[in-house]
Amino acid sequence: MSEESVQFVKKISYKRVAKDRVVTLRFMMVDRDAARPVEVQEELSYLHGGYGDIFPKVEAALEGAAVEDKLDLELSADEAFGPRNEKLVMEIPAERLPEEARAVGMRIEGETGDGRSGGFTVTAVEGNSATIDGNHPLAGRNLQLFIKVIDVREAGEEEIRAGHPIVPPKSGGDAAPLPH
């Protein structure tokens, strides 16, 4: 083989997913129990390397992946959002909810008696009573994820200190015009 017969293919990036790299993904999450998509994400960026921004099984599967690689992963409820905890389903007086949140399906932030904060979903409002659920909406569900790696780049020092990607604000809206 002569050197003239070797041709190189230009790729978007030869970087692979590794610790302290910002990884951008596109994914679709399917509820395997109901066989229906539950979330489609145009782009999600996270800092790879055990920073807790992504499910551990997903992070492990992405280790070494390159831009354009695709993965199909199944996650049990325990590997995803965890099992449902019926102690997080509470009936409360409706008056404790902000008036605009007194509708089924509303998501509200709340704090438990032990000082932990989290999101709650209003699941029922009947008369003076409301039922709220502190479980993640996908808790107890087995999921399938279809993932495509869109970009991999080195994380900056500030991102590593923060433990997550730092994305500059998008221009537009109230942003000041750029000088010419």
Side-chain angles (χ1 to χ4, degrees):
M1 178 189 300
S2 71
E3 62 186 72
E4 291 85 31
S5 67
V6 176
Q7 295 186 21
F8 296 98
V9 177
K10 180 171 174 25
K11 282 188 153 188
I12 295 170
S13 171
Y14 283 101
K15 286 195 174 141
R16 296 197 170 271
V17 175
K19 183 168 178 50
D20 295 337
R21 290 192 175 154
V22 174
V23 181
T24 302
L25 309 171
R26 182 172 295 136
F27 73 90
M28 178 173 61
M29 191 179 304
V30 174
D31 179 338
R32 286 185 9 228
D33 302 322
R36 64 181 170 81
V38 290
E39 183 173 357
V40 175
Q41 184 78 31
E42 280 301 313
E43 285 190 4
L44 167 78
S45 295
Y46 78 97
L47 182 56
H48 190 84
Y51 293 94
D53 287 345
I54 196 163
F55 300 125
K57 183 175 180 177
V58 174
E59 187 169 58
L62 285 165
E63 182 71 30
V67 173
E68 300 293 320
D69 281 357
K70 296 177 183 178
L71 287 84
D72 177 354
L73 292 174
E74 291 185 0
L75 300 177
S76 68
D78 288 338
E79 296 167 320
F81 295 100
R84 281 191 55 76
N85 180 349
E86 293 308 317
K87 291 180 181 176
L88 295 176
V89 179
M90 299 167 257
E91 190 170 321
I92 62 170
E95 66 193 29
R96 289 185 51 204
L97 294 174
E99 193 168 327
E100 62 274 10
R102 295 179 195 167
V104 172
M106 292 296 296
R107 293 279 301 161
I108 56 172
E109 290 295 315
E111 190 174 293
T112 60
D114 61 5
R116 290 184 296 160
S117 62
F120 292 84
T121 303
V122 177
T123 58
V125 178
E126 296 175 16
N128 295 329
S129 177
T131 304
I132 58 172
D133 186 346
N135 288 289
H136 186 281
L138 295 175
R141 308 304 284 180
N142 297 306
L143 304 174
Q144 184 156 13
L145 278 77
F146 299 96
I147 301 168
K148 181 176 181 181
V149 179
I150 303 301
D151 188 41
V152 178
R153 68 171 174 80
E154 296 293 334
E157 289 178 26
E158 188 177 350
E159 291 173 309
I160 293 169
R161 276 194 306 274
H164 59 82
I166 297 173
V167 182
K170 294 185 179 189
S171 61
D174 297 319
L178 296 173
H180 296 289

